[in-house]
Amino acid sequence: MRLTTKGRYAVTAMLDLALHKSQGPISLSDISSRQAISLSYLEQLFSKLRKSELVSSVRGPGGGYELKRGSDEIYIAQIIDAVDESVDTTKCQGAGDCQGGETCLTHYLWEDLSEQIHAFLESISLADLVAKNEVKKIADNQDRRQIIVTEMSAALAL
Amino acid sequence: MRLTTKGRYAVTAMLDLALHKSQGPISLSDISSRQAISLSYLEQLFSKLRKSELVSSVRGPGGGYELKRGSDEIYIAQIIDAVDESVDTTKCQGAGDCQGGETCLTHYLWEDLSEQIHAFLESISLADLVAKNEVKKIADNQDRRQIIVTEMSAALAL
DNA sequence: CTAATCTTGACTAATTCACTAGGTTATTCG
DNA sequence: CGAATAACCTAGTGAATTAGTCAAGATTAG
């Protein structure tokens, strides 16, 4: 699991789609001006998002991109995985003397942590983020923290 | 909150220190050979870790680095923050027309998510990771997932 | 059919990452 | 004392990632 600006751009753009899904296909230039992301970079990102079946494209005038599924069926982890193809984090895949040795121990500890974050992001949908934003406007910080706890717990109970 | 290989290297190295803290100061060349991280890169990372008061150094023969606090008082987020100096994720800091507008909305949604991950990593100490590894050897996947839930909940209850 | 709109893909520049190489300074041991 | 050890510091390099440019293709409106 990697968490970089590329993934943030992708999630931001997908959020923009979710917020405007009632308006039919959204062109990338709309997203570009609204979210301050360069058009060409968006094009690259959406190429990957399309290959991952997260969005569908409509060409020609009035065209653009739409969420392929409902915003409650698209999870943050899927978006990040789509644009941020993960390299192998182990680095010691059968590389000689690292068979359950100490080296693999620490690698495994990190991977486990990474898995937990991934599981968390797999449990949050675009709709969740949008919905939480509504709540946030009223709730103060303490209430918000409580919401986070509830969500995280619920998320991992599966 | 960014999650890159740089942070992973730092956490891995700190875990190595935690696992060998009974042996006095640990030299970087030891960590380098055990964890397969280049020595000079470790030096750069530990320079930052030292400035962040996470480790202390002992020079000369037999010297090396030690955890400055107990491994139960050093949290993953601190390590990552130390080496991975975060750039401003907003990009629209008072930049004209982005005053609570739609642009800031999506930025804020992402930042909130990022905060949650940070809060999570702030709640996991080096000792936690080491301890969990002991448990893992016996526990099956379902048990592990329960542990995760407990940890995440406890983490955010503050 | 033609023009406008929007996707698609190939190509390029800038930045960051991971690492290397070289040295200097502090400390211990023979 | 002097040689070995190891932290420290600075600069530089290659590759990957990030971000942006440009020129095609596809599709619809008029």
Side-chain angles (χ1 to χ4, degrees), chain B residues 81-131:
Chain B
D81 286 342
V83 299
D84 219 70
E85 73 276 11
S86 56
V87 280
D88 49 343
T89 167
T90 48
K91 197 184 207 178
C92 58
Q93 40 204 8
D97 56 351
C98 187
Q99 303 289 349
E102 226 172 303
T103 311
C104 266
L105 194 155
T106 48
H107 287 174
Y108 188 54
L109 288 177
W110 173 265
E111 245 182 70
D112 190 51
L113 200 61
S114 177
E115 252 176 52
Q116 292 184 34
I117 296 172
H118 194 270
F120 171 57
L121 292 180
E122 228 164 24
S123 74
I124 306 237
S125 68
L126 286 177
D128 287 336
L129 272 187
V130 174

Side-chain angles (χ1 to χ4, degrees), chain A residues 86-156:
Chain A
S86 56
V87 280
D88 49 344
T89 167
T90 48
K91 198 184 205 178
C92 59
Q93 39 206 8
D97 57 350
C98 187
Q99 303 290 350
E102 227 172 302
T103 310
C104 266
L105 194 154
T106 49
H107 287 174
Y108 188 55
L109 287 178
W110 174 265
E111 245 182 70
D112 190 50
L113 201 60
S114 177
E115 254 175 50
Q116 293 184 35
I117 295 172
H118 195 270
F120 172 57
L121 292 180
E122 230 164 22
S123 74
I124 305 235
S125 69
L126 286 177
D128 286 337
L129 272 188
V130 174
K132 186 144 67 68
N133 186 62
E134 303 302 320
V135 180
K136 196 182 313 168
K137 287 174 181 166
I138 339 168
D140 63 341
N141 273 343
Q142 288 189 343
D143 288 345
R144 274 178 56 210
R145 196 164 290 285
Q146 186 53 47
I147 292 170
I148 295 173
V149 172
T150 309
E151 276 183 6
M152 272 200 165
S153 302
L156 290 161

Side-chain angles (χ1 to χ4, degrees), chain A residues 14-126:
Chain A
M14 291 291 280
L15 270 170
D16 189 278
L17 276 193
L19 288 168
H20 297 89
K21 65 178 165 184
S22 60
Q23 303 170 20
I26 307 290
S27 74
L28 290 189
S29 57
D30 281 359
I31 301 179
S32 172
S33 57
R34 270 200 295 262
Q35 305 301 333
I37 307 173
S38 96
L39 178 60
S40 321
Y41 199 40
L42 278 177
E43 288 168 353
Q44 288 176 40
L45 297 178
F46 273 80
S47 167
K48 292 185 177 178
L49 292 173
R50 192 174 58 90
K51 279 169 189 159
S52 297
E53 311 255 316
L54 293 174
V55 297
S56 53
S57 61
V58 179
R59 305 179 78 152
Y65 285 96
E66 288 175 306
L67 298 182
K68 196 153 187 177
R69 280 167 275 160
S71 62
D72 56 340
E73 293 177 276
I74 296 182
Y75 300 97
I76 308 299
Q78 296 173 336
I79 300 172
I80 294 178
D81 286 343
V83 299
D84 219 70
E85 73 274 12
S86 56
V87 280
D88 49 344
T89 167
T90 48
K91 198 184 205 178
C92 59
Q93 39 206 8
D97 57 350
C98 187
Q99 303 290 350
E102 227 172 302
T103 310
C104 266
L105 194 154
T106 49
H107 287 174
Y108 188 55
L109 287 178
W110 174 265
E111 245 182 70
D112 190 50
L113 201 60
S114 177
E115 254 175 50
Q116 293 184 35
I117 295 172
H118 195 270
F120 172 57
L121 292 180
E122 230 164 22
S123 74
I124 305 235
S125 69
L126 286 177

Side-chain angles (χ1 to χ4, degrees), chain B:
Chain B
M1 192 74 207
R2 237 170 32 184
L3 222 55
T4 163
T5 51
K6 197 175 188 177
R8 194 180 74 224
Y9 279 141
V11 172
T12 300
M14 290 291 280
L15 270 170
D16 189 278
L17 276 192
L19 288 168
H20 298 89
K21 65 178 167 184
S22 60
Q23 304 171 20
I26 306 290
S27 74
L28 290 189
S29 57
D30 281 359
I31 300 179
S32 172
S33 57
R34 271 198 295 259
Q35 305 300 335
I37 307 173
S38 94
L39 177 59
S40 315
Y41 198 41
L42 278 177
E43 286 173 352
Q44 291 173 34
L45 296 178
F46 272 80
S47 167
K48 294 184 176 178
L49 292 173
R50 193 172 59 91
K51 280 168 191 161
S52 297
E53 310 257 317
L54 293 174
V55 297
S56 54
S57 60
V58 179
R59 305 179 73 152
Y65 285 95
E66 288 175 305
L67 298 182
K68 197 154 186 177
R69 281 168 273 161
S71 61
D72 55 340
E73 293 176 277
I74 296 182
Y75 300 96
I76 308 299
Q78 296 173 335
I79 300 172
I80 293 177
D81 286 342
V83 299
D84 219 70
E85 73 276 11
S86 56
V87 280
D88 49 343
T89 167
T90 48
K91 197 184 207 178
C92 58
Q93 40 204 8
D97 56 351
C98 187
Q99 303 289 349
E102 226 172 303
T103 311
C104 266
L105 194 155
T106 48
H107 287 174
Y108 188 54
L109 288 177
W110 173 265
E111 245 182 70
D112 190 51
L113 200 61
S114 177
E115 252 176 52
Q116 292 184 34
I117 296 172
H118 194 270
F120 171 57
L121 292 180
E122 228 164 24
S123 74
I124 306 237
S125 68
L126 286 177
D128 287 336
L129 272 187
V130 174
K132 188 145 66 67
N133 186 62
E134 303 302 321
V135 179
K136 194 182 314 168
K137 287 174 181 165
I138 339 170
D140 63 340
N141 274 342
Q142 289 189 343
D143 287 346
R144 273 177 58 207
R145 195 164 290 282
Q146 186 53 46
I147 292 171
I148 294 173
V149 172
T150 310
E151 276 181 7
M152 274 201 163
S153 302
L156 290 162
L158 297 179

